[in-house]
Structures are given as C-alpha cells and as structure tokens.
Amino acid sequence: MAPRIVIAGSANMDVVGLAARLPLPGETVLGDDFMMTPGGKGANQAIAAARAGGRTIFLGAIGSDAFGVTINARLTAAGVDASGVRTSYGQSGVAVIMVDRSGENSILVAPGANTSFTGLTEPERRTIAEADVLVCQLEIPVETVTEAMRVARAAGTRTILNAAPARSLPPELLDNVDLLVVNETEAATISGRSEIDMSALLALVPRVVLTLSGAGSRYADREGVDTRVPAYVVEVVDTTAAGDAFTGAIAVAWGEGRSLLEAVGWANAAGAACVRHVGASNALPTRDEIDALYLSVSPPRTE
Ligand code: RIB
C-alpha cells in the first residue's frame, strides 16, 4: 500500500521570466521568455509526492482569484487530494521568479492567501494524525507549522521539515521534527553558525539532510551516520523546485519503509530530474522518471 503523505504548506502562482542573466538592482534586462505555472513549496512538494507514488493530501490556502482555481486544478490533475484546501477571500500567493541561462534563479514571494492558513481545524488535525508522513515548509505562518508538527508527533506520524525559506525557528517546532531537510543557507540560519555544523543541527533534531545542489546531499543522524550521497549528472535548465522534488520524493521513500540513506539517493535523482525542465510544478518528475535516473549506470553519479 502506498504511504499516506500529508503536506501542509504554501501554494502560489509562479510568474516566471527567463533571461540571459538576472538583472542587477535598478537594472532592466530584456528577457528571452515568460511563463506562468502553479508553484509554492507546499503545493510543489505535494505534487512531487503524488508523482513519486504517495497517496498525497495537501493542506493549505488559496485565494478567491483565478490563480486559486488554476492552482487547485493542477493539484487535482497530479493526483493530490486537494479537497481540504481552504479558500480565503483575496489574492492567492504569487511568486515572481527570474531564471538565467545557467538555470540559476531568484524568487520573491507575495504570500497572499498563504498567510490565512492559521489555526488547524479538527478535520485538518485528523488528516495529519492519520498520515504516515507529514511534510511542512516555511512559507505559511510558523505557528501553523508548529501546531501541525505537534499534532503529528502526538499521533506517531513521522515529520519532515524542509526549512525553506531560511529563518530561525522556535524550539517547540524543532522538538517535533524527525527529519530536517535544509540547504547550506538554511542550515546556517537554524544553527546560528556561519559554517556548516552538523553536530549543532543534530543537537536540535535527530536526522538531517543537507542538500548541496549540484554536489548531491549529506545525510547525518544521532546514531553516528554522516555520509555524502552523490549527485546525478544532468543538463541544468532551471533549478526552481529541485528542493521540492527532493523533499516530496524522500517523504514517499521513507514512508515506504526504505532506509533514509536509500531514500536520500532516490530523492537526489528526483531533484536532478526536475532541473532538466523549466518551471515548478510542471517540472516535477514521475516515479518512472526518478527510477530511470536512479537506476541509470552510465554515467551514474558524481561525487
Ligand atoms: O521552491 C520553489 C517555489 O518557491 C516556487 O514554486 C515558488 O512559488 C516559491 O514558493
């Protein structure tokens, strides 16, 4: 039976401009192209988990505008149960994204309806309690993330926090995190150290995955494991949502009972499969695409 994954987080409409290079402050750059696609770290991770094979439920909030309708349609089309998504009067979240020809991006999020996702309802709490894995990020109010993690822990649901975007976190939230997924910036913010300090992170949570973009990932836990997991060599078109592909995939693999080391390798493949395409939710790979890259042998990965 596929694991039941609940993602509580943000949903945005991504307004994406593609250009040879990103503009400097105060500068105008003529771009190559433009697209709009549903995104938001929460919705992306829900779609990633569903495509990776999880029975996935998304909890979040959209606005009463046309963007909200499109975001909902994208979630549903990807096989995500979005029936509990709240609609609040006003604008949906919007992310203004610029992508250069190396695939690098910069993102500004106007959170809109995501800020209204506060105070979990009884049905939302039940949904979290019945899940195998709960996944949250930090584009919704931190009080909601804290509450969701507390409900999950009390019910024995495994918890994953993808601490993006970077911010410092209340101890009560970290106390209920089973697995922390962070990039180097987020790791530094949470640990309060300028350099990467895994032992400082492991003093806060029992398991950590540090994502290293093109260099793969590092997994460490309180049992003494501290291992680099290699990256996959792919042509990078757009790095947007690579972390979301990774997080959705690791939730599914862990929920399936695979070891976390194996789950990290499989999630690395999911992230690599994502960066081959422009956009966020539309670029997230299916289980077959992840498996194809994960099982590829020539050339498989790089340290
Ligand atoms: O992680 C990528 C996402 O970050 C984008 O889809 C954008 O909406 C922002 O939330």
Side-chain angles (χ1 to χ4, degrees):
M1 176 75 97
R4 189 187 293 247
I5 312 294
V6 171
I7 314 275
S10 61
N12 298 329
M13 179 58 75
D14 290 358
V15 179
V16 186
L18 304 153
R21 63 177 179 81
L22 303 179
L24 299 169
E27 185 189 25
T28 300
V29 167
L30 282 181
D32 299 332
D33 210 346
F34 164 81
M35 69 184 291
M36 283 207 301
T37 179
K41 295 185 194 305
N44 289 343
Q45 291 177 19
I47 292 168
R51 289 188 179 159
R55 288 178 296 151
T56 307
I57 299 173
F58 176 65
L59 302 177
I62 53 174
S64 54
D65 52 7
F67 286 167
V69 175
T70 306
I71 292 166
N72 224 346
R74 169 55 60 84
L75 285 161
T76 306
V80 175
D81 179 347
S83 56
V85 172
R86 305 179 187 188
T87 302
S88 74
Y89 185 76
Q91 289 180 343
S92 294
V94 173
V96 180
I97 303 181
M98 293 181 287
V99 181
D100 73 16
R101 286 189 199 153
S102 76
E104 194 51 75
N105 65 30
S106 63
I107 302 179
L108 181 153
V109 175
N114 293 302
T115 60
S116 71
F117 185 28
T118 56
L120 293 175
T121 63
E122 235 358 88
E124 287 168 340
R125 298 168 75 90
R126 209 175 315 121
T127 298
I128 291 168
E130 288 170 356
D132 295 306
V133 182
L134 169 74
V135 184
C136 294
Q137 323 73 30
L138 300 173
E139 285 184 338
I140 58 172
V142 73
E143 296 77 16
T144 308
V145 177
T146 305
E147 187 182 357
M149 291 282 163
R150 195 188 317 121
V151 170
R153 173 59 61 82
T157 300
R158 286 179 178 174
T159 60
I160 299 177
L161 177 66
N162 173 217
R167 55 161 290 166
S168 59
L169 295 170
E172 195 205 343
L173 167 49
L174 289 165
D175 283 350
N176 291 320
V177 172
D178 293 320
L179 173 64
L180 180 69
V181 177
V182 280
N183 65 21
E184 291 168 280
T185 310
E186 293 146 8
T189 305
I190 290 172
S191 65
R193 315 267 166 99
S194 51
E195 76 290 355
I196 299 303
D197 184 341
M198 281 303 218
S199 45
L201 291 169
L202 288 172
L204 301 170
V205 295
R207 300 168 198 85
V208 176
V209 174
L210 182 67
T211 57
L212 303 163
S213 30
S217 311
R218 183 173 161 192
Y219 170 72
D221 64 29
R222 286 181 182 164
E223 310 301 307
V225 178
D226 188 349
T227 310
R228 279 283 295 276
V229 184
Y232 289 81
V233 183
V234 293
E235 187 192 348
V236 179
V237 175
D238 179 3
T239 55
T240 306
D244 300 331
F246 180 98
T247 305
I250 202 171
V252 171
W254 201 26
E256 286 172 348
R258 294 152 84 169
S259 76
L260 263 174
L261 267 182
E262 184 188 347
V264 171
W266 198 64
N268 274 356
C274 176
V275 303
R276 299 184 295 194
H277 307 282
V278 176
S281 58
N282 54 299
L284 298 164
T286 63
R287 188 176 181 96
D288 285 349
E289 288 167 330
I290 301 169
D291 278 340
L293 198 51
Y294 182 65
L295 299 171
S296 66
V297 283
S298 180
R301 312 180 203 176
T302 178
E303 281 286 2

